[in-house]
């Protein structure tokens, strides 16, 4: 009970985080093959405040977002966070942005493949940026009988990979690593544990990546099994001096 | 444009349907093995009205629902509809109720299996009741390698079956028909068309069922394939004189 | 039971509808202010078939879709349906496409407003096209106290309007009609019935619209109330000879 | 890059967490007024493992869960975690359980009110249990005009409160605290910041609660505003020696 004694003094009940969430916003993101790609994002923006906040400041988040016209890249990400921190006089600024990314490729049945992407950036004393992709995994066709369509054995599960990086990495290249990990020494998906280890091995071997988290989920009958694995340090916090945007 | 000329006379802009939706409600449903089962339903109730409706009547829907204490069976379903029709002076009364049904069985990895159920009843001059179940289909284990867990090949897709019936049918027995259809002359799921036909053949052979609709969906990479099939007449409309509750 | 006797002959268990669903696809739609707008759609395509269907034909749906590079307008909609009907030798072809449409406008707090759009086209002997928009309704600010932010009284509910039309209508103009109906002789939203009638009156007065359906939903505590209204005839079916694309 | 050097040695790519997710399961929870309440939960169970995990152990999670027949209370929660830790030889065991809780009360339009509940327990050296409720907030009726139904001004937003406690607390009592905070010195909801502070003040004054987190969200037009506040220490981690079940 002593833990929160000090909160009982009204003046010290401070708001920790304040912001706007679930803004649906058309954005332009970088595309390795076609330079840019237009898609639709969901945006969350918030700050940590040491002091009382006036509700009328809420519109500033949107003003800052609008100034960048939906152009999302590492540079604009940093500048939006910097403006949030400055204009709202905050200790830390956060932005989360989530969007479907469409990967062009011949071998996909529909010519294009939807990958869920998420970027979560924080600016406190240093920058921190996490990029995350979620890739559906389908049951392999290797075992299919004649007359059974490719991909028609259903959905095996999902791979979600989050990374911090010490130099720029294309979404396509991160997707490439994930696919390498999925297919590594396994003609078809066996277990969440094996796939998690394979993904960890492949991702850890990329020198651009300084930290990663892998979650593999398999849709079984009545439940899902999952396994997760984390590797690497966190730049900007453990003092390794490598910021996400350097 | 002439089509809606008559609507331009304000007095003739009549509300066609009015009601309440998305009531989350604890219910008791019939269970073949254990007599009753408690679960949580989402309920929609609405009426067709030939005349203007007073908003203050909206609470009557809830009053009627409350009088039955969440006991959902063919008899209470009919009585709720009758009360709606009477008390709201309506031409037709409708109730939709959706709930997860838990099927006990030994061979399921978790001892119990969740099936989505939906009942949609209408009372106009005669009764009409449609029961619907949605059953997930998992990739079969027949092809699994040693060391691969049962069910771990992922989710193949979904089967949704709607039926009208001319005598009482247990949810368990409808689930049984669906499973017979899924596994009929096919050691593993091949195509949505084959599975739809198998299901149609099995369901059509049950004399309790007077009408059915089957939709089979397969989760492929980037899209889902589906096929549907309908069979039988509609009692109470095509004058076959068999009502859902007889 | 006689109803489905004929289905018990295996050769006559015919698939009624077959197709692909839930294709996530980047599309370009028409925008009154900016000529075109890029967004992300979910696409369903299916046909009615009088005969057995070969699963290997499933990829034709996607091939047809890809040929149009995601350019969605009344003309391409018709041509896609025509190709589906021809190449799959079908009695009827259907396409449903759903996407967020971003409306630019100054008075919106975020400069842009997301509206859910849906187009559902059928080609049988004649064309039939329904356009649908879903517009969120927010509690009005008229009653807000000083210091209360515009829009901060929460979400009142949702308006969904579906229309058939006898000449081209911009999504912006349909949104305009809906907003006129929401605010018509009501300084703030009162009841689902009043708003449904107001919307019906406004939409019925537009000569471009030959049929409409309005559904208004209000989020109350523990449930939602709703009312719906339909007006106008259905071109191409009731023989009024006005097709959606003429 | 050095960060993850050690991971490049295959033998050291360890799985951190492994388990089962999204089990839909009928449960019995404690109810202050009626002793027990039957509802439907979603269950996640996982462990932290320092060593390689055999996939065949996955079924043990389910076996442990089944042994308790869905009876969820503080005592069974602890015993399930202890069995998971023991039988899977794990460093830590986790269980998350989420369910709708139905609160009986006269003043609710539907006689019962649905509250989302979540319990997240961890057993490492000591126990840690967080209970969370999410309560919808509706626009107040105080400002409604004659003829406007109670609750019909729509949904203002959502309050989510998570707590750790040093003696048993009923779900009803936690809901009571939240309602006290929502209505505290505010005839109607003003801003997310004011409501967050009011909630913080009320919750901090309950001696049963040793830690809390409050998140208030308001549905505005095109986005949601939110504010959050945290108070109190974490028993079992900061050495205050108060475990969640003592």
């Amino acid at each position: 009970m002593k833990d929160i004694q000090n909160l009982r003094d009204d003046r010290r009940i401070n708001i920790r985080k304040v912001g706007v969430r679930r803004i649906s916003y058309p954005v332009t993101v970088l595309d390795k093959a076609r330079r840019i790609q237009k898609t639709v994002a969901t945006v969350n923006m918030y700050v940590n405040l040491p002091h009382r906040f006036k509700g009328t400041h809420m519109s500033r988040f949107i003003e800052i977002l609008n100034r960048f016209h939906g152009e999302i890249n590492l540079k604009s990400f940093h500048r939006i966070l910097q403006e949030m921190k400055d204009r709202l006089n905050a200790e830390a600024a956060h932005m989360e942005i989530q969007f479907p990314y469409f990967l062009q490729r011949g071998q996909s049945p529909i010519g294009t493949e939807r990958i869920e992407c998420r970027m979560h950036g924080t600016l406190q004393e240093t920058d921190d940026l996490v990029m995350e992709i979620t890739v559906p995994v389908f049951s392999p066709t290797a075992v299919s009988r004649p007359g059974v369509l490719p991909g028609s054995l259903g959905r095996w599960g999902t791979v979600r990979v989050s990374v911090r990086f010490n130099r720029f990495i294309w979404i396509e290249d991160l997707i490439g690593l994930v696919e390498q990990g999925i297919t590594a020494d396994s003609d078809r998906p066996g277990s969440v544990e094996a796939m998690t280890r394979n993904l960890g091995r492949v991702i850890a071997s990329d020198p651009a990546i300084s930290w990663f988290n892998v979650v593999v989920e398999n849709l079984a009958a009545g439940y899902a099994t999952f396994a997760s694995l984390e590797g690497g340090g966190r730049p900007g916090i453990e003092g390794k001096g490598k910021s996400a945007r350097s």
Side-chain angles (χ1 to χ4, degrees), chain A residues 50-106:
Chain A
H51 55 81
R52 286 200 171 228
F53 174 82
K54 286 190 186 61
T56 47
H57 294 171
M58 210 60 108
S59 55
R60 290 196 188 161
F61 289 101
I62 313 270
E63 285 168 30
I64 294 168
L65 180 63
N66 282 339
R67 197 163 320 153
F68 289 85
H69 303 103
E71 304 216 353
I72 297 298
N73 51 55
L74 293 188
K75 207 168 168 180
S76 67
F77 217 99
H78 172 73
R79 285 175 54 206
I80 291 172
L81 289 172
Q82 188 68 59
E83 277 211 38
M84 286 164 64
K85 207 169 162 243
D86 293 349
R87 292 195 56 198
L88 289 151
N89 202 17
E91 285 178 343
H94 311 265
M95 184 162 69
E96 293 164 1
I97 176 163
Q98 188 166 359
F99 53 90
Y101 182 85
F102 292 90
L103 184 66
Q104 305 291 315
R105 52 176 161 188

Side-chain angles (χ1 to χ4, degrees), chain A residues 25-32 34-41 69-74 76-77 97-102 117 119 168 170-172:
Chain A
Y25 211 82
V27 296
T28 308
V29 297
L30 300 180
D31 181 314
K32 193 179 184 180
R34 300 172 300 166
R35 217 179 53 83
I36 58 163
Q37 169 171 159
K38 285 176 187 288
T39 182
V40 173
H69 303 103
E71 304 216 353
I72 297 298
N73 51 55
L74 293 188
S76 67
F77 217 99
I97 176 163
Q98 188 166 359
F99 53 90
Y101 182 85
F102 292 90
C117 290
M119 295 169 75
F168 177 79
W170 291 100
I171 292 174
E172 285 84 348

Side-chain angles (χ1 to χ4, degrees), chain A residues 215-230:
Chain A
V215 181
V216 176
E217 195 166 323
N218 173 224
L219 301 168
Y223 58 97
T225 56
F226 82 100
S228 73
L229 172 66
E230 192 176 325

Side-chain angles (χ1 to χ4, degrees), chain A residues 74 129 163-169 204 206-211 233 235 240-246:
Chain A
L74 293 188
L129 185 67
V163 296
R164 290 189 173 90
F165 36 90
N166 46 44
R167 61 171 190 260
F168 177 79
I169 180 166
D206 188 317
I209 293 169
S210 57
W211 170 91
K240 269 148 209 130
K242 278 168 188 163
S243 117
R245 37 184 293 278
S246 62

